Amino acid sequence: MLLNFKKKRAKLQAYTWFGLPLVVIGGWFYPKLGFFLLACMIGAVGIAFYKGRAWCDWMCPRGSFYDLFLQKISRNKGIPAFFRKRGVRIFMLSMLLSVLGIQVYFAWGNIDGIGMAMVKLLTITTAIGIILGIVYQHRIWCHICPMGTISNWMSEGKHPLNISEMCVDCKVCSKVCPMQLKPYQYKEQGVMGDNDCVKCSTCTVACPKKALNFEKEIKKAA
Ligand code: SF4
Ligand code: SF4
């Protein structure tokens, strides 16, 4: 069942992953492709209004690329707590948006120049994401991605993952979670309290007790 689910998710990701090499490689020859990054930023924030970080599941080309390819060569270690610190995320967000803003300012009026600024930003951050992804875990970038951080801040209460008291703390959910989150830790609250959940549903399928779901009504333990 989990295998079938993973295949279905990979099929969805197959529709989007190529957007990443298209811009990171093609953008150096045709800079206007850089505006694709702007479309992704708008998409991520737009989705976050009503579904939290769901964009990061399969709609984000970079997230899909990391899941489909980087995962195969990653050492798959634990993501260091450092990368999830609020201060680190705010630093990454302000630094990367400032760098982009300054480049766009100097290229103002030149469409190719603005596109190239976005191509450069995407290329550099993707390279960082790949290196970190190989050394640690394939989705580590998603914890410091500026759009991921903004979506995280908008995610509170949006399409939450429910955790019922049927949970037996086997921790299978955290082992299969691409974001290395720990749904079982929120059993008492009954709702996932980690806004980095990308709503991928992998844990709901993997849970042997069917204790997780995205429906409004959760089954109560008999
Ligand atoms: S996989 Fe299910 S039963 Fe196991 S810890 Fe997670 S929520 Fe609880
Ligand atoms: S907690 Fe579950 S739904 Fe959320 S990202 Fe992890 S596996 Fe996906």
Side-chain angles (χ1 to χ4, degrees):
M1 195 172 167
L2 181 62
L3 196 64
N4 281 345
F5 171 80
K6 282 186 174 176
K7 278 184 190 164
K8 272 189 200 161
R9 186 164 175 256
K11 265 189 193 169
L12 287 174
Q13 291 179 324
Y15 289 119
T16 56
W17 73 267
F18 61 86
L20 183 70
L22 182 74
V23 179
V24 164
I25 300 169
W28 290 89
F29 304 98
Y30 188 68
K32 288 186 184 70
L33 282 172
F35 283 91
F36 190 64
L37 177 63
L38 192 62
C40 287
M41 288 172 161
I42 294 168
V45 174
I47 295 277
F49 268 111
Y50 66 99
K51 240 182 155 187
R53 288 196 66 173
W55 171 270
C56 311
D57 175 13
W58 64 269
M59 286 176 267
C60 172
R62 178 150 58 188
S64 295
F65 179 86
Y66 287 169
D67 267 356
L68 290 176
F69 305 107
L70 195 56
Q71 185 173 195
K72 292 185 171 71
I73 54 171
S74 173
R75 293 168 74 223
N76 205 17
K77 301 280 176 192
I79 295 172
F82 171 82
F83 289 94
R84 302 207 64 212
K85 281 190 191 297
R86 193 177 166 80
V88 173
R89 298 177 79 151
I90 291 174
F91 170 76
M92 289 297 289
L93 174 69
S94 7
M95 197 242 319
L96 292 175
L97 288 187
S98 304
V99 167
L100 182 63
I102 291 167
Q103 290 202 40
V104 168
Y105 175 77
F106 284 112
W108 199 248
N110 173 359
I111 296 293
D112 276 352
I114 296 173
M116 184 51 83
M118 291 190 262
V119 171
K120 282 181 187 166
L121 185 77
L122 190 67
T123 305
I124 291 167
T125 53
T126 298
I128 294 170
I130 289 175
I131 294 166
L132 289 174
I134 292 171
V135 175
Y136 295 104
Q137 192 260 9
H138 65 285
R139 278 271 187 165
I140 189 169
W141 173 260
C142 303
H143 291 276
I144 48 173
C145 170
M147 286 306 112
T149 297
I150 292 174
S151 304
N152 173 306
W153 292 341
M154 296 167 67
S155 284
E156 194 67 40
K158 312 272 170 69
H159 193 53
L161 173 66
N162 299 305
I163 302 122
S164 84
E165 53 211 53
M166 287 189 283
C167 169
V168 291
D169 286 325
C170 68
K171 301 182 177 56
V172 166
C173 47
S174 65
K175 286 183 191 130
V176 298
C177 177
M179 296 290 283
Q180 287 193 352
L181 308 182
K182 298 181 172 74
Y184 63 89
Q185 285 186 337
Y186 301 91
K187 183 164 65 170
E188 265 184 36
Q189 295 91 318
V191 175
M192 180 68 163
D194 195 320
N195 289 340
D196 279 323
C197 173
V198 299
K199 327 287 184 187
C200 69
S201 293
T202 310
C203 57
T204 67
V205 178
C207 174
K209 295 292 170 186
K210 299 285 163 252
L212 301 167
N213 67 54
F214 279 107
E215 260 102 59
K216 281 188 181 155
E217 294 298 322
I218 54 173
K219 290 180 190 164
K220 296 286 175 193

